[in-house]
């Protein structure tokens, strides 16, 4: 071959991107989660964990066909899923007083297995909303550094709450003077807690705007934190570039949190038309965990959940699902979040069928765990594109594959046979 011919060949290879790509993934059908369209016989070229190009298989050059290939031509491929509310370091068999015997170090060790099964379930990205001892920060770092297997993580560190609130340590009597790390009781103290969390590695902030189901001596309808305290917390977090998630079941806590400018309301059990209108006007996301009630009421007592908490769940669970239907009909922003850690890790996808049963189409449910979750997460690359939740050039090559059409059978997502993270097949 002459020197000019070699030069021409190199130019051709560079123009097709073949020299840069290090992985070729073939998709039998590719789901566009924005449009809902399925496109047959697509090729995904991957470079350095990111999607470089997507094109029809028939358009691949000979050089591109020679790239190491993952053949998913018998599968439907869609973006890796996102769970926006998990607790990977929480053991679902250690509720109530059992948690007093679990240290942050032990919880971090548990989180190693929980991270792996969550990834294998198809959730390539998660938002961890609260962990003791910054165990979620260490778990995220270990995954990022390749020491253990798990999803991409954005983490909150300690949840921020008022004295006696949800996420304070309310299990021990006063003689122990036990207090949660995230307790704050004034606008200045909420700012301080935000700064501490971010100092030690948090990507985002979570606080409790009402009582909770699983906390002792709290009322799910009762507000926690004043508006001034919430506004100071949200302003501090946003000044630092961090999103804010507010745990809230009751109406007044939800309204205060939305008025304070939070990015998402977690649970949103007792919402009404006023809350829906506020959320729609401000673009606030609702993250409603409508599967977990089944676990709490069927297996919770055996896992140590207190009678008080079981009673609260009977009050909350069904109403939350009915209000989820109202939220879907109202067209507000909804992102996928399950509260995994309250129930068994790796079962995250069981919520899809519940979302469809309670008002969503299969595409809307999938969008809640891809496009809409990614938009709320707002994790972007240097070019300003979303890193996750979409299959497009510039995004991470995170994807899942199923045999069949999930738009026709959403339960296919409960047993995902192939998971790819950063172009690497992990299942």
């Amino acid at each position: 071959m002459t020197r000019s011919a070699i030069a021409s060949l190199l130019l051709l290879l560079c123009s097709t991107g073949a020299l840069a790509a290090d992985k070729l993934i073939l998709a039998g059908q590719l789901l566009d989660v924005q449009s809902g369209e399925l496109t047959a016989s697509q090729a995904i070229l991957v470079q350095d964990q990111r999607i470089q190009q997507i094109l029809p298989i028939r358009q691949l050059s000979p050089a591109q066909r020679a790239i190491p290939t993952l053949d998913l031509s018998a599968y439907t491929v869609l973006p890796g899923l996102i769970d926006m509310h998990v607790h990977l370091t929480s053991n679902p068999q250690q509720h109530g007083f059992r948690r007093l015997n679990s240290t942050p170090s032990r919880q971090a060790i548990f989180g190693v297995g929980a991270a792996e099964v969550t990834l294998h379930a198809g959730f390539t990205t998660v938002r961890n909303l609260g962990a003791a001892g910054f165990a979620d920060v260490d778990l995220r770092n270990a995954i990022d550094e390749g020491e253990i297997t798990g999803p991409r993580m954005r983490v909150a560190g300690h949840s921020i709450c008022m004295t006696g609130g949800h996420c304070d340590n309310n299990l021990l009597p006063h003689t122990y003077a036990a207090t949660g790390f995230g307790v704050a009781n004034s606008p200045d103290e909420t700012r301080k807690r935000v700064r501490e969390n971010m100092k030690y590695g948090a990507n985002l902030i979570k606080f409790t705007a009402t009582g909770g189901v699983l906390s002792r001596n709290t009322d799910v309808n009762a507000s926690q934190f004043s508006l001034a305290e919430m506004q100071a917390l949200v302003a501090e977090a946003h000044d630092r570039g961090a999103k804010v998630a507010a745990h809230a079941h009751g109406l007044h806590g939800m309204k205060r949190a939305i008025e304070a400018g939070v990015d998402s309301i977690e649970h949103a059990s007792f919402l009404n038309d006023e809350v829906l209108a506020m959320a729609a006007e401000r673009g606030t996301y609702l993250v409603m965990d409508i599967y977990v009630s089944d676990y709490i009421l069927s297996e919770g007592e055996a896992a140590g959940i207190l009678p008080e908490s079981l009673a609260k769940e009977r009050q909350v669970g069904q109403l939350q699902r009915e209000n989820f239907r109202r939220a879907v009909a109202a067209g507000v922003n909804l992102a996928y979040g399950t509260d995994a850690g309250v129930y068994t890790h790796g079962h995250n996808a069981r919520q899809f069928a519940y979302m469809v049963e309670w008002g969503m189409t299969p595409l809307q449910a999938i969008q809640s765990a891809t496009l809409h979750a990614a938009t709320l997460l707002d994790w972007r690359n240097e070019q300003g594109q979303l890193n996750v939740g979409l299959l497009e050039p510039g995004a991470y090559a995170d994807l899942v594959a199923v045999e069949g059409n999930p738009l026709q059978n959403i339960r296919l997502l409960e047993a995902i046979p192939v998971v790819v993270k950063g172009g690497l097949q992990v299942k």
Side-chain angles (χ1 to χ4, degrees), residues 112-124:
V112 173
E116 184 172 23
V117 299
T118 299
L119 178 61
H120 286 181
F123 289 81
T124 53

Side-chain angles (χ1 to χ4, degrees), residues 20 48 102 118 137 140 164 185 209 238 279 299 305 340 346 349 383 385 387:
D48 297 331
S102 183
T118 299
V137 173
R140 177 202 64 200
N185 290 299
H238 286 174
E299 302 182 47
I305 293 179
Q383 289 71 46
Q385 301 167 293
N387 274 319

Side-chain angles (χ1 to χ4, degrees), residues 352-373:
F352 282 112
Y354 286 69
M355 297 171 88
V356 171
E357 178 184 352
W358 290 94
M360 280 187 165
T361 66
L363 177 60
Q364 287 176 320
I366 291 170
Q367 288 173 329
S368 77
T370 52
L371 175 64
H372 298 322

